Amino acid sequence: MKGLKLKTLLLLTSFFLFDLIRPLGYSLVVEFVFLGIIFISLNEDLLPALLISAIFGLLCDSFNPNIRPLSSIEFPLICLLNHYLLSYFRLVNKKIHVLIVKSSLILLALIVHLIVNSIGSGLILPLFWIQFLIQSLLIYFAIDYLLKNKNEKAKPPTTI
Amino acid sequence: MLFLPFKNVIRNLFSFFFHQISVTTHKAFQENEKLKKENISLQVKVRGSQHLKKENQSLRKALNFKIDKEFDLIGVGVLSFSPSSWRRSLLLNGGKDIGLKKGLLAVNEKGELLGKITDVEGIFSHLLLINDPNFNLPVFIGELGSGLLKGNLTEAKILYIEEGEAVKKGDRIWVKVDSSTSVIEVGTVKSIKKGTNQLFCEIAVKLAFPGSFLNKVFILK
């Protein structure tokens, strides 16, 4: 559990650094930390996920002075919502396909983030929204695939 | 039988040659390793010098701009971008220590407006880019017009332009700095539109600054 938390913290920290450095400038409109928050809300226990999302929400807000601190409220709420909905769908119907539920929850989280920030900035930019959604979804699935693949490789082989 | 008296001499000669060959091979191997390391360090230096060459070119452009337009410029490095995709701001590697103040304008090496300083701390400051939603600045359009420039993430627009004002597509947008008689380029008029029942026109701006990756900005004092 401890190792898992450290790994998650390191992952989120590297995502945060990626957001700060922005190697491709503003042509890539993805928020890596937010994708990380979605990832941990769907794959980690609630308490550490909530704690980490609150910490990184605060960190993101500290780098945006003179504006409303949206991230420190939004990130834990998204984490809570995702965790609750995932548990609910698993409880209601055990046969339901996890991948479909998770994909829907990722899309929902991205749309909520989009709405919150659009209201916050007072801008309606459909092209930007589409760009944000497509880029975020593609990168999320790439991250998910890479991390799951790595975890499976790291598992010790089962003995009969 | 003929060689028997010289047996020891021949053996010594052989051992001497073998020793010489092994020493030479060992030396050649060591030299090879040394050269490999030297090669790597030279490659690193070449890359470093290429970066310095680029920086030198950019600074030369800025210097030409400074001399041409008689501006007092301060070059500042960019530390980081805003982590939010709904903001366009930079953290700069300099604050009160190098004499930066709130409200100062920043340009790139070509003299195109990038944004303005919104927060100044001891050793760092925040620069709000021209396309940030919170950015606003009074600008001039063409020869006679003026309005309020406001960022909208992707580009920028100018608000509060009356219908009668002589503004047309392609007009130059510029700002004046108090410390100089020269002007700073902002961009050009992309389109002009006016909705029904609206008092003012809205101008879409094609920014001169392309909005790509930045690693150094110049502050106008």
Side-chain angles (χ1 to χ4, degrees), chain A residues 113-155:
Chain A
H113 187 61
L114 226 150
I115 293 168
V116 168
N117 280 287
S118 295
I119 293 169
S121 59
L123 290 170
I124 302 165
L125 300 161
L127 275 174
F128 178 78
W129 294 347
I130 293 165
Q131 195 188 356
F132 174 78
L133 282 177
I134 291 171
Q135 287 184 359
S136 299
L137 281 171
L138 285 175
I139 288 177
Y140 181 87
F141 287 120
I143 291 168
D144 191 56
Y145 173 77
L146 287 173
L147 290 174
K148 294 260 167 79
N149 218 16
K150 208 180 165 190
N151 282 346
E152 272 170 24
K153 273 184 188 169
K155 274 181 193 170

mmCIF file of all heavy atoms in Angstrom, chain A residues 113-155:
data_model
loop_
_atom_site.group_PDB
_atom_site.id
_atom_site.type_symbol
_atom_site.label_atom_id
_atom_site.label_comp_id
_atom_site.label_asym_id
_atom_site.label_seq_id
_atom_site.Cartn_x
_atom_site.Cartn_y
_atom_site.Cartn_z
ATOM 1 N N HIS A 113 -15.010 19.087 -16.089
ATOM 2 C CA HIS A 113 -13.849 19.986 -16.028
ATOM 3 C C HIS A 113 -13.984 21.116 -17.058
ATOM 4 O O HIS A 113 -13.710 22.279 -16.765
ATOM 5 C CB HIS A 113 -12.592 19.162 -16.303
ATOM 6 C CG HIS A 113 -11.306 19.909 -16.125
ATOM 7 N ND1 HIS A 113 -10.927 20.457 -14.923
ATOM 8 C CD2 HIS A 113 -10.312 20.210 -17.002
ATOM 9 C CE1 HIS A 113 -9.757 21.056 -15.069
ATOM 10 N NE2 HIS A 113 -9.366 20.931 -16.317
ATOM 11 N N LEU A 114 -14.438 20.721 -18.231
ATOM 12 C CA LEU A 114 -14.628 21.682 -19.322
ATOM 13 C C LEU A 114 -15.668 22.743 -18.948
ATOM 14 O O LEU A 114 -15.446 23.952 -19.131
ATOM 15 C CB LEU A 114 -15.141 20.884 -20.523
ATOM 16 C CG LEU A 114 -14.532 21.133 -21.872
ATOM 17 C CD1 LEU A 114 -14.578 19.878 -22.693
ATOM 18 C CD2 LEU A 114 -15.262 22.204 -22.561
ATOM 19 N N ILE A 115 -16.799 22.271 -18.392
ATOM 20 C CA ILE A 115 -17.882 23.192 -18.030
ATOM 21 C C ILE A 115 -17.426 24.142 -16.915
ATOM 22 O O ILE A 115 -17.608 25.356 -17.007
ATOM 23 C CB ILE A 115 -19.159 22.404 -17.618
ATOM 24 C CG1 ILE A 115 -19.721 21.671 -18.836
ATOM 25 C CG2 ILE A 115 -20.218 23.326 -17.024
ATOM 26 C CD1 ILE A 115 -20.789 20.648 -18.530
ATOM 27 N N VAL A 116 -16.808 23.562 -15.874
ATOM 28 C CA VAL A 116 -16.353 24.377 -14.721
ATOM 29 C C VAL A 116 -15.400 25.477 -15.193
ATOM 30 O O VAL A 116 -15.552 26.655 -14.848
ATOM 31 C CB VAL A 116 -15.681 23.477 -13.652
ATOM 32 C CG1 VAL A 116 -14.946 24.304 -12.615
ATOM 33 C CG2 VAL A 116 -16.714 22.599 -12.978
ATOM 34 N N ASN A 117 -14.417 25.093 -16.013
ATOM 35 C CA ASN A 117 -13.417 26.074 -16.456
ATOM 36 C C ASN A 117 -13.982 27.083 -17.446
ATOM 37 O O ASN A 117 -13.556 28.238 -17.462
ATOM 38 C CB ASN A 117 -12.207 25.362 -17.052
ATOM 39 C CG ASN A 117 -11.293 24.870 -15.972
ATOM 40 O OD1 ASN A 117 -10.607 25.633 -15.331
ATOM 41 N ND2 ASN A 117 -11.341 23.575 -15.718
ATOM 42 N N SER A 118 -14.915 26.634 -18.278
ATOM 43 C CA SER A 118 -15.523 27.566 -19.241
ATOM 44 C C SER A 118 -16.342 28.616 -18.504
ATOM 45 O O SER A 118 -16.315 29.794 -18.864
ATOM 46 C CB SER A 118 -16.397 26.818 -20.238
ATOM 47 O OG SER A 118 -15.587 25.982 -21.001
ATOM 48 N N ILE A 119 -17.057 28.169 -17.462
ATOM 49 C CA ILE A 119 -17.822 29.134 -16.654
ATOM 50 C C ILE A 119 -16.857 30.068 -15.931
ATOM 51 O O ILE A 119 -17.043 31.282 -15.898
ATOM 52 C CB ILE A 119 -18.774 28.403 -15.670
ATOM 53 C CG1 ILE A 119 -19.864 27.678 -16.458
ATOM 54 C CG2 ILE A 119 -19.400 29.379 -14.672
ATOM 55 C CD1 ILE A 119 -20.708 26.722 -15.640
ATOM 56 N N GLY A 120 -15.789 29.475 -15.390
ATOM 57 C CA GLY A 120 -14.785 30.264 -14.669
ATOM 58 C C GLY A 120 -14.143 31.336 -15.522
ATOM 59 O O GLY A 120 -13.902 32.455 -15.069
ATOM 60 N N SER A 121 -13.852 31.000 -16.782
ATOM 61 C CA SER A 121 -13.196 31.981 -17.657
ATOM 62 C C SER A 121 -14.193 32.790 -18.488
ATOM 63 O O SER A 121 -13.802 33.766 -19.137
ATOM 64 C CB SER A 121 -12.193 31.284 -18.574
ATOM 65 O OG SER A 121 -12.855 30.329 -19.356
ATOM 66 N N GLY A 122 -15.460 32.363 -18.472
ATOM 67 C CA GLY A 122 -16.507 33.086 -19.211
ATOM 68 C C GLY A 122 -16.335 32.996 -20.723
ATOM 69 O O GLY A 122 -16.632 33.941 -21.449
ATOM 70 N N LEU A 123 -15.846 31.859 -21.211
ATOM 71 C CA LEU A 123 -15.610 31.700 -22.653
ATOM 72 C C LEU A 123 -16.365 30.505 -23.220
ATOM 73 O O LEU A 123 -16.437 29.455 -22.594
ATOM 74 C CB LEU A 123 -14.129 31.494 -22.927
ATOM 75 C CG LEU A 123 -13.192 32.677 -22.712
ATOM 76 C CD1 LEU A 123 -11.757 32.224 -22.781
ATOM 77 C CD2 LEU A 123 -13.450 33.762 -23.743
ATOM 78 N N ILE A 124 -16.907 30.688 -24.426
ATOM 79 C CA ILE A 124 -17.533 29.571 -25.133
ATOM 80 C C ILE A 124 -16.712 29.329 -26.393
ATOM 81 O O ILE A 124 -16.746 30.125 -27.331
ATOM 82 C CB ILE A 124 -19.012 29.868 -25.472
ATOM 83 C CG1 ILE A 124 -19.770 30.154 -24.172
ATOM 84 C CG2 ILE A 124 -19.655 28.726 -26.238
ATOM 85 C CD1 ILE A 124 -21.115 30.790 -24.372
ATOM 86 N N LEU A 125 -15.945 28.250 -26.380
ATOM 87 C CA LEU A 125 -15.043 27.979 -27.510
ATOM 88 C C LEU A 125 -15.202 26.523 -27.965
ATOM 89 O O LEU A 125 -14.439 25.650 -27.548
ATOM 90 C CB LEU A 125 -13.588 28.220 -27.098
ATOM 91 C CG LEU A 125 -13.221 29.628 -26.627
ATOM 92 C CD1 LEU A 125 -11.932 29.605 -25.838
ATOM 93 C CD2 LEU A 125 -13.087 30.553 -27.813
ATOM 94 N N PRO A 126 -16.214 26.247 -28.813
ATOM 95 C CA PRO A 126 -16.486 24.853 -29.206
ATOM 96 C C PRO A 126 -15.272 24.126 -29.797
ATOM 97 O O PRO A 126 -15.042 22.957 -29.479
ATOM 98 C CB PRO A 126 -17.587 24.991 -30.251
ATOM 99 C CG PRO A 126 -18.187 26.317 -30.011
ATOM 100 C CD PRO A 126 -17.128 27.186 -29.449
ATOM 101 N N LEU A 127 -14.495 24.820 -30.644
ATOM 102 C CA LEU A 127 -13.336 24.166 -31.270
ATOM 103 C C LEU A 127 -12.292 23.762 -30.223
ATOM 104 O O LEU A 127 -11.713 22.676 -30.296
ATOM 105 C CB LEU A 127 -12.686 25.098 -32.293
ATOM 106 C CG LEU A 127 -13.310 25.066 -33.683
ATOM 107 C CD1 LEU A 127 -12.686 26.117 -34.569
ATOM 108 C CD2 LEU A 127 -13.173 23.689 -34.324
ATOM 109 N N PHE A 128 -12.102 24.641 -29.263
ATOM 110 C CA PHE A 128 -11.153 24.371 -28.177
ATOM 111 C C PHE A 128 -11.635 23.183 -27.340
ATOM 112 O O PHE A 128 -10.846 22.327 -26.940
ATOM 113 C CB PHE A 128 -10.985 25.628 -27.320
ATOM 114 C CG PHE A 128 -10.058 25.454 -26.151
ATOM 115 C CD1 PHE A 128 -8.680 25.468 -26.333
ATOM 116 C CD2 PHE A 128 -10.554 25.256 -24.876
ATOM 117 C CE1 PHE A 128 -7.823 25.291 -25.259
ATOM 118 C CE2 PHE A 128 -9.704 25.083 -23.804
ATOM 119 C CZ PHE A 128 -8.340 25.108 -23.995
ATOM 120 N N TRP A 129 -12.955 23.130 -27.101
ATOM 121 C CA TRP A 129 -13.529 22.027 -26.315
ATOM 122 C C TRP A 129 -13.287 20.688 -27.005
ATOM 123 O O TRP A 129 -12.896 19.716 -26.372
ATOM 124 C CB TRP A 129 -15.032 22.225 -26.113
ATOM 125 C CG TRP A 129 -15.398 23.396 -25.281
ATOM 126 C CD1 TRP A 129 -14.554 24.130 -24.500
ATOM 127 C CD2 TRP A 129 -16.688 23.988 -25.157
ATOM 128 N NE1 TRP A 129 -15.247 25.148 -23.899
ATOM 129 C CE2 TRP A 129 -16.547 25.091 -24.279
ATOM 130 C CE3 TRP A 129 -17.936 23.713 -25.695
ATOM 131 C CZ2 TRP A 129 -17.619 25.896 -23.928
ATOM 132 C CZ3 TRP A 129 -19.015 24.508 -25.349
ATOM 133 C CH2 TRP A 129 -18.853 25.598 -24.471
ATOM 134 N N ILE A 130 -13.534 20.670 -28.326
ATOM 135 C CA ILE A 130 -13.350 19.414 -29.081
ATOM 136 C C ILE A 130 -11.875 18.991 -29.030
ATOM 137 O O ILE A 130 -11.556 17.830 -28.785
ATOM 138 C CB ILE A 130 -13.839 19.585 -30.538
ATOM 139 C CG1 ILE A 130 -15.360 19.784 -30.550
ATOM 140 C CG2 ILE A 130 -13.473 18.386 -31.406
ATOM 141 C CD1 ILE A 130 -15.918 20.306 -31.850
ATOM 142 N N GLN A 131 -11.014 19.972 -29.243
ATOM 143 C CA GLN A 131 -9.568 19.714 -29.210
ATOM 144 C C GLN A 131 -9.161 19.135 -27.847
ATOM 145 O O GLN A 131 -8.433 18.141 -27.770
ATOM 146 C CB GLN A 131 -8.845 21.032 -29.474
ATOM 147 C CG GLN A 131 -7.386 20.881 -29.825
ATOM 148 C CD GLN A 131 -6.683 22.236 -29.895
ATOM 149 O OE1 GLN A 131 -7.293 23.290 -29.745
ATOM 150 N NE2 GLN A 131 -5.387 22.204 -30.115
ATOM 151 N N PHE A 132 -9.680 19.769 -26.785
ATOM 152 C CA PHE A 132 -9.357 19.342 -25.422
ATOM 153 C C PHE A 132 -9.833 17.906 -25.176
ATOM 154 O O PHE A 132 -9.089 17.072 -24.657
ATOM 155 C CB PHE A 132 -10.001 20.310 -24.422
ATOM 156 C CG PHE A 132 -9.864 19.894 -22.981
ATOM 157 C CD1 PHE A 132 -8.678 20.091 -22.303
ATOM 158 C CD2 PHE A 132 -10.921 19.300 -22.310
ATOM 159 C CE1 PHE A 132 -8.535 19.700 -20.980
ATOM 160 C CE2 PHE A 132 -10.798 18.906 -20.992
ATOM 161 C CZ PHE A 132 -9.607 19.112 -20.324
ATOM 162 N N LEU A 133 -11.093 17.615 -25.576
ATOM 163 C CA LEU A 133 -11.663 16.285 -25.334
ATOM 164 C C LEU A 133 -10.906 15.201 -26.095
ATOM 165 O O LEU A 133 -10.543 14.173 -25.518
ATOM 166 C CB LEU A 133 -13.141 16.268 -25.736
ATOM 167 C CG LEU A 133 -14.115 16.896 -24.747
ATOM 168 C CD1 LEU A 133 -15.521 16.882 -25.303
ATOM 169 C CD2 LEU A 133 -14.091 16.156 -23.412
ATOM 170 N N ILE A 134 -10.651 15.447 -27.372
ATOM 171 C CA ILE A 134 -9.979 14.427 -28.191
ATOM 172 C C ILE A 134 -8.555 14.162 -27.671
ATOM 173 O O ILE A 134 -8.170 13.016 -27.437
ATOM 174 C CB ILE A 134 -9.960 14.840 -29.684
ATOM 175 C CG1 ILE A 134 -11.379 14.795 -30.238
ATOM 176 C CG2 ILE A 134 -9.051 13.932 -30.500
ATOM 177 C CD1 ILE A 134 -11.546 15.363 -31.622
ATOM 178 N N GLN A 135 -7.815 15.241 -27.458
ATOM 179 C CA GLN A 135 -6.433 15.077 -26.993
ATOM 180 C C GLN A 135 -6.390 14.395 -25.625
ATOM 181 O O GLN A 135 -5.596 13.483 -25.399
ATOM 182 C CB GLN A 135 -5.741 16.439 -26.914
ATOM 183 C CG GLN A 135 -5.405 17.010 -28.274
ATOM 184 C CD GLN A 135 -4.638 18.324 -28.172
ATOM 185 O OE1 GLN A 135 -4.370 18.825 -27.098
ATOM 186 N NE2 GLN A 135 -4.296 18.881 -29.322
ATOM 187 N N SER A 136 -7.285 14.828 -24.718
ATOM 188 C CA SER A 136 -7.289 14.257 -23.360
ATOM 189 C C SER A 136 -7.630 12.770 -23.388
ATOM 190 O O SER A 136 -6.976 11.970 -22.711
ATOM 191 C CB SER A 136 -8.299 14.986 -22.473
ATOM 192 O OG SER A 136 -7.961 16.323 -22.366
ATOM 193 N N LEU A 137 -8.656 12.403 -24.163
ATOM 194 C CA LEU A 137 -9.063 10.993 -24.214
ATOM 195 C C LEU A 137 -7.941 10.125 -24.777
ATOM 196 O O LEU A 137 -7.620 9.071 -24.220
ATOM 197 C CB LEU A 137 -10.324 10.834 -25.069
ATOM 198 C CG LEU A 137 -11.633 11.215 -24.381
ATOM 199 C CD1 LEU A 137 -12.777 11.220 -25.376
ATOM 200 C CD2 LEU A 137 -11.961 10.252 -23.247
ATOM 201 N N LEU A 138 -7.337 10.594 -25.865
ATOM 202 C CA LEU A 138 -6.256 9.809 -26.486
ATOM 203 C C LEU A 138 -5.091 9.625 -25.514
ATOM 204 O O LEU A 138 -4.581 8.510 -25.359
ATOM 205 C CB LEU A 138 -5.759 10.508 -27.763
ATOM 206 C CG LEU A 138 -6.680 10.396 -28.976
ATOM 207 C CD1 LEU A 138 -6.142 11.222 -30.130
ATOM 208 C CD2 LEU A 138 -6.820 8.938 -29.414
ATOM 209 N N ILE A 139 -4.705 10.709 -24.868
ATOM 210 C CA ILE A 139 -3.552 10.612 -23.959
ATOM 211 C C ILE A 139 -3.909 9.779 -22.728
ATOM 212 O O ILE A 139 -3.095 8.997 -22.253
ATOM 213 C CB ILE A 139 -3.019 12.016 -23.612
ATOM 214 C CG1 ILE A 139 -2.315 12.556 -24.861
ATOM 215 C CG2 ILE A 139 -2.045 12.001 -22.440
ATOM 216 C CD1 ILE A 139 -1.776 13.919 -24.782
ATOM 217 N N TYR A 140 -5.157 9.915 -22.234
ATOM 218 C CA TYR A 140 -5.557 9.111 -21.073
ATOM 219 C C TYR A 140 -5.436 7.617 -21.385
ATOM 220 O O TYR A 140 -4.867 6.851 -20.615
ATOM 221 C CB TYR A 140 -6.990 9.440 -20.631
ATOM 222 C CG TYR A 140 -7.376 8.633 -19.414
ATOM 223 C CD1 TYR A 140 -7.090 9.096 -18.148
ATOM 224 C CD2 TYR A 140 -7.947 7.370 -19.550
ATOM 225 C CE1 TYR A 140 -7.376 8.339 -17.029
ATOM 226 C CE2 TYR A 140 -8.229 6.595 -18.447
ATOM 227 C CZ TYR A 140 -7.952 7.092 -17.184
ATOM 228 O OH TYR A 140 -8.223 6.315 -16.078
ATOM 229 N N PHE A 141 -5.969 7.206 -22.536
ATOM 230 C CA PHE A 141 -5.937 5.784 -22.871
ATOM 231 C C PHE A 141 -4.501 5.301 -23.093
ATOM 232 O O PHE A 141 -4.179 4.161 -22.764
ATOM 233 C CB PHE A 141 -6.831 5.480 -24.075
ATOM 234 C CG PHE A 141 -8.294 5.555 -23.711
ATOM 235 C CD1 PHE A 141 -9.148 6.440 -24.341
ATOM 236 C CD2 PHE A 141 -8.811 4.760 -22.692
ATOM 237 C CE1 PHE A 141 -10.482 6.527 -23.980
ATOM 238 C CE2 PHE A 141 -10.152 4.841 -22.327
ATOM 239 C CZ PHE A 141 -10.987 5.727 -22.968
ATOM 240 N N ALA A 142 -3.663 6.180 -23.633
ATOM 241 C CA ALA A 142 -2.243 5.821 -23.819
ATOM 242 C C ALA A 142 -1.571 5.610 -22.463
ATOM 243 O O ALA A 142 -0.866 4.616 -22.256
ATOM 244 C CB ALA A 142 -1.529 6.903 -24.610
ATOM 245 N N ILE A 143 -1.832 6.541 -21.532
ATOM 246 C CA ILE A 143 -1.256 6.431 -20.175
ATOM 247 C C ILE A 143 -1.759 5.149 -19.500
ATOM 248 O O ILE A 143 -0.990 4.383 -18.931
ATOM 249 C CB ILE A 143 -1.623 7.674 -19.324
ATOM 250 C CG1 ILE A 143 -0.908 8.928 -19.841
ATOM 251 C CG2 ILE A 143 -1.281 7.455 -17.856
ATOM 252 C CD1 ILE A 143 -1.442 10.218 -19.256
ATOM 253 N N ASP A 144 -3.086 4.937 -19.587
ATOM 254 C CA ASP A 144 -3.715 3.772 -18.972
ATOM 255 C C ASP A 144 -3.096 2.480 -19.508
ATOM 256 O O ASP A 144 -2.724 1.591 -18.746
ATOM 257 C CB ASP A 144 -5.220 3.819 -19.274
ATOM 258 C CG ASP A 144 -5.991 2.811 -18.460
ATOM 259 O OD1 ASP A 144 -5.866 2.866 -17.224
ATOM 260 O OD2 ASP A 144 -6.689 1.967 -19.054
ATOM 261 N N TYR A 145 -2.936 2.414 -20.836
ATOM 262 C CA TYR A 145 -2.377 1.223 -21.480
ATOM 263 C C TYR A 145 -0.938 0.996 -21.001
ATOM 264 O O TYR A 145 -0.570 -0.116 -20.628
ATOM 265 C CB TYR A 145 -2.421 1.395 -23.005
ATOM 266 C CG TYR A 145 -1.720 0.287 -23.758
ATOM 267 C CD1 TYR A 145 -2.329 -0.956 -23.920
ATOM 268 C CD2 TYR A 145 -0.453 0.482 -24.295
ATOM 269 C CE1 TYR A 145 -1.677 -1.981 -24.599
ATOM 270 C CE2 TYR A 145 0.203 -0.530 -24.967
ATOM 271 C CZ TYR A 145 -0.413 -1.760 -25.118
ATOM 272 O OH TYR A 145 0.241 -2.766 -25.781
ATOM 273 N N LEU A 146 -0.149 2.059 -21.004
ATOM 274 C CA LEU A 146 1.264 1.943 -20.620
ATOM 275 C C LEU A 146 1.417 1.508 -19.167
ATOM 276 O O LEU A 146 2.200 0.615 -18.857
ATOM 277 C CB LEU A 146 1.991 3.271 -20.834
ATOM 278 C CG LEU A 146 2.265 3.649 -22.289
ATOM 279 C CD1 LEU A 146 2.822 5.052 -22.382
ATOM 280 C CD2 LEU A 146 3.238 2.665 -22.923
ATOM 281 N N LEU A 147 0.625 2.128 -18.277
ATOM 282 C CA LEU A 147 0.756 1.806 -16.855
ATOM 283 C C LEU A 147 0.271 0.396 -16.546
ATOM 284 O O LEU A 147 0.888 -0.325 -15.777
ATOM 285 C CB LEU A 147 0.003 2.830 -16.006
ATOM 286 C CG LEU A 147 0.615 4.229 -15.973
ATOM 287 C CD1 LEU A 147 -0.272 5.188 -15.226
ATOM 288 C CD2 LEU A 147 1.990 4.193 -15.318
ATOM 289 N N LYS A 148 -0.852 -0.004 -17.155
ATOM 290 C CA LYS A 148 -1.385 -1.362 -16.923
ATOM 291 C C LYS A 148 -0.408 -2.404 -17.447
ATOM 292 O O LYS A 148 -0.158 -3.419 -16.827
ATOM 293 C CB LYS A 148 -2.743 -1.504 -17.610
ATOM 294 C CG LYS A 148 -3.823 -0.619 -17.024
ATOM 295 C CD LYS A 148 -4.722 -1.408 -16.083
ATOM 296 C CE LYS A 148 -5.597 -0.484 -15.271
ATOM 297 N NZ LYS A 148 -6.759 0.007 -16.009
ATOM 298 N N ASN A 149 0.136 -2.126 -18.632
ATOM 299 C CA ASN A 149 1.094 -3.031 -19.259
ATOM 300 C C ASN A 149 2.320 -3.219 -18.373
ATOM 301 O O ASN A 149 2.808 -4.328 -18.181
ATOM 302 C CB ASN A 149 1.521 -2.417 -20.596
ATOM 303 C CG ASN A 149 1.693 -3.492 -21.663
ATOM 304 O OD1 ASN A 149 1.219 -4.610 -21.505
ATOM 305 N ND2 ASN A 149 2.366 -3.148 -22.731
ATOM 306 N N LYS A 150 2.786 -2.115 -17.819
ATOM 307 C CA LYS A 150 3.970 -2.128 -16.961
ATOM 308 C C LYS A 150 3.692 -2.911 -15.670
ATOM 309 O O LYS A 150 4.507 -3.708 -15.235
ATOM 310 C CB LYS A 150 4.345 -0.678 -16.625
ATOM 311 C CG LYS A 150 5.815 -0.503 -16.356
ATOM 312 C CD LYS A 150 6.108 0.934 -16.044
ATOM 313 C CE LYS A 150 7.468 1.069 -15.424
ATOM 314 N NZ LYS A 150 7.702 2.399 -14.891
ATOM 315 N N ASN A 151 2.492 -2.670 -15.103
ATOM 316 C CA ASN A 151 2.120 -3.372 -13.871
ATOM 317 C C ASN A 151 2.028 -4.881 -14.086
ATOM 318 O O ASN A 151 2.429 -5.668 -13.247
ATOM 319 C CB ASN A 151 0.787 -2.855 -13.340
ATOM 320 C CG ASN A 151 0.957 -1.534 -12.630
ATOM 321 O OD1 ASN A 151 2.079 -1.146 -12.316
ATOM 322 N ND2 ASN A 151 -0.129 -0.839 -12.396
ATOM 323 N N GLU A 152 1.476 -5.274 -15.247
ATOM 324 C CA GLU A 152 1.347 -6.701 -15.539
ATOM 325 C C GLU A 152 2.714 -7.353 -15.695
ATOM 326 O O GLU A 152 2.934 -8.483 -15.276
ATOM 327 C CB GLU A 152 0.511 -6.902 -16.805
ATOM 328 C CG GLU A 152 -0.965 -6.988 -16.476
ATOM 329 C CD GLU A 152 -1.836 -6.945 -17.701
ATOM 330 O OE1 GLU A 152 -1.365 -7.283 -18.787
ATOM 331 O OE2 GLU A 152 -3.006 -6.537 -17.557
ATOM 332 N N LYS A 153 3.645 -6.607 -16.306
ATOM 333 C CA LYS A 153 5.000 -7.144 -16.492
ATOM 334 C C LYS A 153 5.720 -7.277 -15.151
ATOM 335 O O LYS A 153 6.507 -8.184 -14.947
ATOM 336 C CB LYS A 153 5.806 -6.223 -17.414
ATOM 337 C CG LYS A 153 5.614 -6.566 -18.879
ATOM 338 C CD LYS A 153 6.495 -5.694 -19.735
ATOM 339 C CE LYS A 153 6.174 -5.890 -21.205
ATOM 340 N NZ LYS A 153 6.813 -4.887 -22.047
ATOM 341 N N ALA A 154 5.421 -6.336 -14.247
ATOM 342 C CA ALA A 154 6.090 -6.321 -12.940
ATOM 343 C C ALA A 154 5.608 -7.433 -12.014
ATOM 344 O O ALA A 154 6.286 -7.813 -11.077
ATOM 345 C CB ALA A 154 5.893 -4.966 -12.280
ATOM 346 N N LYS A 155 4.404 -7.981 -12.304
ATOM 347 C CA LYS A 155 3.859 -9.048 -11.441
ATOM 348 C C LYS A 155 4.714 -10.311 -11.520
ATOM 349 O O LYS A 155 5.125 -10.701 -12.624
ATOM 350 C CB LYS A 155 2.433 -9.380 -11.891
ATOM 351 C CG LYS A 155 1.381 -8.493 -11.269
ATOM 352 C CD LYS A 155 0.030 -8.919 -11.763
ATOM 353 C CE LYS A 155 -1.001 -7.875 -11.431
ATOM 354 N NZ LYS A 155 -2.264 -8.157 -12.098
#
